[in-house]
């Protein structure tokens, strides 16, 4: 394929090897994302940092005494304003100029933000630097899941994204332990303690920038912009270009072409972010509904407690009665358990589906958060009574509940809110659609990290009860509103959202009706025995039927 540069890895690798290579690059971006998230927890406790930024001083126990909660939370939260803007920008660029160029741009802006943070001399400088860093991260987060899902096979999409998010938490762990090690440098007052961990993210971004340009573009985006020869070649290398594998790749290619034609014919007018938010001109594609689903799924991902636990774990352990030094290494150990828990999702997400993964996560997390709050309260009561054995026992129990919470979150809610937005949007606006997920994540994270210092100061352990209640709220929310995407191709998901009703059971009923009207069943995603031409026929008929229903009514 002469149109693709000869150094592109698509010429060297194929099938599983090529998918693995793509996910390694995607994983590098997600690793940076995790590192960037985990980094501020340790930075906030560095003496030179909190005195230079002007929000605290050293207490009698050696820990930080925060004197300006709004400034401390604001420096952390402004990053999420940056990711919100960057996510919207990345979605627009990704749909217009492609996934690869967008990844390169996001990494380049991330390097600038990291350099500015490393050299910050006051809180104004740091706020601006965090904002720029957020732009880069938002761009990457809006496009990386899209690139990964558009190249993966529908039977293993969840597995590949789950593997990437194992690297995400490895980034959190890496940040934590680098900062823990740096905390012993000198007499504890050097700026190296916080500047080095921030600078450590720069090599990751430089590596991402250097490598991504040698990787293949999404075949689905290439079809969308009319570069069908390149798309067919890349898809053949991804799925196999000989024998039955070649036929299956060609069937998938034809489904993509059909989907693009129908999506363009089924909408009326432009699909800007404003149009998407309110579903204007989308007909029965119902993009407005999809936007609301991904925004609120990401917001709730943060409000079930992980944003508070990730950044303010030492504070939570302090409430449980632990010394500053013990809080630090216990928090690091918690992150290691968190990382290993993500491996559970690798093996379960494509087996039990997205909805059941969220269900069992919400139940386990809600119980763990409620018990963590109760044990923290009892531990504090023991301290007030002078009963140190009671305080220690309940403090350890509270810590155990936090460990259980993060373990369950890593196995469930960590991955699904990032995978779902990359799955459910039409190809024409998929990057923009995923950007709305980044918007929801930014709102949830920014809102919560700004409030967390205030909440923990005012409510103490009762903050954990709020997180528990949010977990309970997500169960009926997911049950009623979120259709299952597991084992369905990206092209089939348009049919899943064809129903006019917002309720999940109506979406599934309508999907079944479309199957019946086709005369033959929709492609059985759980098996590989069906002949490729049958699959092509069934999906194409389904999309054609859907086309008739998605034409906007003329006035």
């Amino acid at each position: 394929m002469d149109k693709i540069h000869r150094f592109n890895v698509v010429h060297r690798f194929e099938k599983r090897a090529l998918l693995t290579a793509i996910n390694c690059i995607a994983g590098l971006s997600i690793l940076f994302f995790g590192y960037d998230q985990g980094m501020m927890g340790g930075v906030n406790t560095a003496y030179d940092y909190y005195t230079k930024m002007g929000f605290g001083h050293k207490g009698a126990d050696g820990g930080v005494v925060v004197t300006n909660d709004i400034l401390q939370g604001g420096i952390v939260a402004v990053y999420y304003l940056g990711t919100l803007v960057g996510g919207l920008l990345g979605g627009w660029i990704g749909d217009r100029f492609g996934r690869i160029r967008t990844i390169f741009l996001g990494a380049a802006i991330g390097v600038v933000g990291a350099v500015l943070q490393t050299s910050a001399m006051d809180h104004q400088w740091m706020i601006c630097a965090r904002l720029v860093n957020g732009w880069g991260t938002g761009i990457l987060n809006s496009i990386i899941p899209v690139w990964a899902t558009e190249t993966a096979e529908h039977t293993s999409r969840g597995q590949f994204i789950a593997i990437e998010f194992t690297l995400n938490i490895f980034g959190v762990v890496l940040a934590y332990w680098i900062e823990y090690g740096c905390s012993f440098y000198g007499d504890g007052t050097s700026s190296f303690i916080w500047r080095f961990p921030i600078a450590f993210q720069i090599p990751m971004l430089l590596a991402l920038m250097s490598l991504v340009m040698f990787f293949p573009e999404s075949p689905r985006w290439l079809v969308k912009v009319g570069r069908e020869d390149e798309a067919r070649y890349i898809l053949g290398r991804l799925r196999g270009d000989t024998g039955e594998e070649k036929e299956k790749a060609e069937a998938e290619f034809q489904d993509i072409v059909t989907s693009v034609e129908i999506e363009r014919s089924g909408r009326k007018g432009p699909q800007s972010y404003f149009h998407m938010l309110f579903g204007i001109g989308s007909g029965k594609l119902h993009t407005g509904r999809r936007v609301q689903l991904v925004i609120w799924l990401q917001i709730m991902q943060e409000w079930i407690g992980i944003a508070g636990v990730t950044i303010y774990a030492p504070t939570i352990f302090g409430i449980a009665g632990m010394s500053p030094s013990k809080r630090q290494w216990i928090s690091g150990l918690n992150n290691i358990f968190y990382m290993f828990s993500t491996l559970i999702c690798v093996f379960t997400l494509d087996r039990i589906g997205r909805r059941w993964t969220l269900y069992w996560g919400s139940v386990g997390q809600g119980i763990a958060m409620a018990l963590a709050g109760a044990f923290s309260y009892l531990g504090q009561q023991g301290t007030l009574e002078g009963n140190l054995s009671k305080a220690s026992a309940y403090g350890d129990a509270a810590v155990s509940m936090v460990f259980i919470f993060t373990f369950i979150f890593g196995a469930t809610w960590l991955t699904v809110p990032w995978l779902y937005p990359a799955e459910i949007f039409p190809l024409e606006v998929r990057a923009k659609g995923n950007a709305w997920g980044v918007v929801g994540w930014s709102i949830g994270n920014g809102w919560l990290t700004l409030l967390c210092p205030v909440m923990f100061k005012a409510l103490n352990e009762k903050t954990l009860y709020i997180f528990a209640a949010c977990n309970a709220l997500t169960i009926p929310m997911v049950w009623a509103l979120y259709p299952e995407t597991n084992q369905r191709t990206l092209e089939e998901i348009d049919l899943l959202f064809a129903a006019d009703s917002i309720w999940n059971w109506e979406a599934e009923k309508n999907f079944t009706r479309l199957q019946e009207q086709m005369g033959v069943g929709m492609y059985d995603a759980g098996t590989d025995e069906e002949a490729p031409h049958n699959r092509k026929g069934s999906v194409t008929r389904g999309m054609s039927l859907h086309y008739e229903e998605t034409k906007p009514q003329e006035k």
Side-chain angles (χ1 to χ4, degrees):
M1 172 57 68
D2 295 335
K3 294 179 182 179
I4 301 174
H5 198 282
R6 63 191 180 93
F7 292 122
N8 197 298
V9 299
V10 75
H11 302 306
R12 181 177 180 83
F13 301 117
E14 65 174 339
K15 295 191 290 188
R16 192 78 176 182
L18 181 56
L19 282 170
T20 300
I22 288 171
N23 278 274
C24 284
I25 292 298
L28 180 59
S29 176
I30 300 296
L31 173 68
F32 155 71
F33 172 40
Y35 185 90
D36 211 37
Q37 273 189 297
M39 179 185 70
M40 287 307 292
V43 168
N44 275 334
T45 62
Y47 172 80
D48 183 74
Y49 176 78
Y50 61 72
T51 54
K52 197 174 252 71
M53 298 301 133
F55 63 74
H57 60 82
K58 184 182 287 189
D61 62 357
V64 58
V65 176
V66 177
T67 56
N68 191 333
D69 297 304
I70 299 297
L71 179 58
Q72 182 201 28
I75 291 173
V76 177
V78 74
Y79 167 80
Y80 300 106
L81 175 61
T83 60
L84 188 153
V85 175
L88 293 173
L89 179 63
W92 180 81
I93 295 172
D95 276 335
R96 188 176 179 85
F97 298 104
R99 313 327 190 195
I100 297 298
R101 292 175 183 171
T102 307
I103 294 169
F104 181 88
L105 177 64
I109 295 174
V111 169
V112 174
V115 170
L116 289 173
Q117 285 183 94
T118 303
S119 57
M121 298 302 295
D122 53 44
H123 67 263
Q124 292 95 335
W125 188 332
M126 178 57 80
I127 287 171
C128 292
R130 293 280 294 164
L131 192 63
V132 174
N133 196 233
W135 292 343
T137 305
I139 290 172
L140 290 173
N141 287 353
S142 70
I143 206 65
I144 284 290
V146 173
W147 184 49
T149 57
E150 287 184 339
T151 53
E153 294 185 85
H154 68 281
T155 54
S156 57
R157 274 197 314 262
Q159 183 183 57
F160 275 111
I161 297 297
I163 291 171
E164 290 170 15
F165 276 88
T166 298
L167 292 174
N168 173 262
I169 306 307
F170 177 67
V172 174
V173 172
L174 186 63
Y176 196 93
W177 287 105
I178 285 175
E179 290 173 330
Y180 184 74
C182 288
S183 68
F184 295 99
Y185 179 80
D187 61 357
T189 61
S190 172
S191 65
F192 174 86
I193 293 172
W194 65 272
R195 293 190 193 276
F196 176 79
I198 293 176
F200 192 81
Q201 63 191 302
I202 297 174
M204 300 182 209
L205 292 167
L206 292 175
L208 181 60
M209 288 174 61
S210 302
L211 294 172
V212 74
M213 299 306 291
F214 296 99
F215 277 75
E217 183 55 84
S218 161
R220 286 176 164 85
W221 181 80
L222 290 171
V223 170
K224 174 189 164 186
V225 297
R227 292 158 61 180
E228 294 185 3
D229 290 343
E230 294 171 71
R232 181 183 271 114
Y233 175 77
I234 292 171
L235 198 59
R237 299 293 291 174
L238 285 165
R239 307 292 184 253
D241 53 9
T242 59
E244 185 179 336
E245 291 174 336
K246 184 175 182 178
E247 292 182 9
K248 287 187 176 183
E250 179 62 24
E252 184 175 351
F253 173 78
Q254 293 299 334
D255 287 343
I256 296 168
V257 172
T258 300
S259 176
V260 170
E261 292 172 354
I262 289 170
E263 286 172 11
R264 286 175 178 168
S265 301
R267 63 178 172 81
K268 187 176 182 180
Q271 280 295 287
S272 66
Y273 282 117
F274 178 81
H275 287 80
M276 289 180 68
L277 180 61
F278 296 102
I280 299 171
S282 67
K284 289 183 181 290
L285 291 172
H286 297 124
T287 54
R289 184 196 310 165
R290 303 189 210 197
V291 167
Q292 294 297 327
L293 289 178
V294 301
I295 287 176
W296 285 103
L297 189 63
Q298 287 280 21
I299 288 175
M300 294 309 295
Q301 184 197 43
E302 304 310 318
W303 274 91
I304 58 178
I306 195 59
V309 168
T310 299
I311 298 175
Y312 295 97
T315 302
I316 296 172
F317 297 148
I319 291 172
M322 294 185 169
S323 65
S325 60
K326 190 175 181 180
R327 294 174 210 168
Q328 295 300 319
W329 72 262
I330 286 291
S331 296
L333 189 61
N334 179 48
N335 286 335
I336 292 175
F337 275 84
Y338 186 11
M339 180 182 71
F340 283 114
S341 72
T342 62
L343 296 174
I344 295 174
C345 199
V346 172
F347 299 104
T348 61
L349 187 54
D350 286 324
R351 293 177 180 272
I352 66 174
R354 303 0 172 187
R355 284 159 56 85
W356 277 102
T357 298
L358 296 177
Y359 288 154
W360 83 264
S362 295
V363 172
Q365 291 161 181
I367 293 171
M369 278 284 98
L371 290 177
F375 290 142
S376 294
Y377 172 77
L378 293 172
Q380 291 174 85
Q381 290 299 111
T383 301
L384 293 174
E385 296 166 4
N387 189 338
L388 298 183
S389 62
K390 176 182 176 182
S392 177
Y394 282 119
D396 290 343
V399 170
S400 297
M401 290 302 105
V402 172
F403 271 54
I404 291 171
F405 170 85
T406 52
F407 189 89
I408 295 173
F409 180 87
T412 58
W413 271 82
L414 170 67
T415 301
V416 175
W418 288 103
L419 172 61
Y420 203 78
E423 291 183 310
I424 70 169
F425 284 95
L427 176 56
E428 278 287 298
V429 292
R430 186 164 292 139
K432 286 200 197 81
N434 194 61
W436 280 113
V438 178
V439 168
W441 175 81
S442 301
I443 292 171
N445 237 315
W447 182 13
L448 194 55
T449 51
L450 185 62
L451 286 176
C452 262
V454 179
M455 289 168 65
F456 279 117
K457 188 173 183 178
L459 301 176
N460 221 340
E461 82 287 340
K462 296 181 183 67
T463 303
L464 305 182
Y465 300 143
I466 295 176
F467 296 152
C470 288
N471 276 281
L473 181 62
T474 61
I475 297 172
M477 184 181 92
V478 171
W479 173 76
L481 301 174
Y482 289 80
E484 181 60 72
T485 59
N486 184 39
Q487 302 300 316
R488 285 166 171 159
T489 69
L490 297 178
E491 286 65 50
E492 290 170 348
I493 289 172
D494 277 349
L495 302 180
L496 188 60
F497 282 91
D500 291 326
S501 172
I502 65 171
W503 306 115
N504 168 63
W505 52 87
E506 293 295 335
E508 293 290 350
K509 187 187 300 182
N510 188 64
F511 188 81
T512 302
R513 179 180 64 81
L514 291 175
Q515 286 181 307
E516 292 171 351
Q517 289 183 2
M518 276 182 252
V520 296
M522 185 70 82
Y523 169 57
D524 182 0
T527 65
D528 292 324
E529 286 79 10
E530 183 176 336
H533 68 274
N534 288 341
R535 175 180 181 270
K536 175 188 171 184
S538 63
V539 175
T540 302
R541 279 192 294 273
M543 294 302 292
S544 297
L545 177 63
H546 183 47
Y547 165 61
E548 294 302 321
E549 296 190 350
T550 57
K551 285 182 178 177
Q553 298 297 317
E554 298 295 336
K555 300 292 186 183

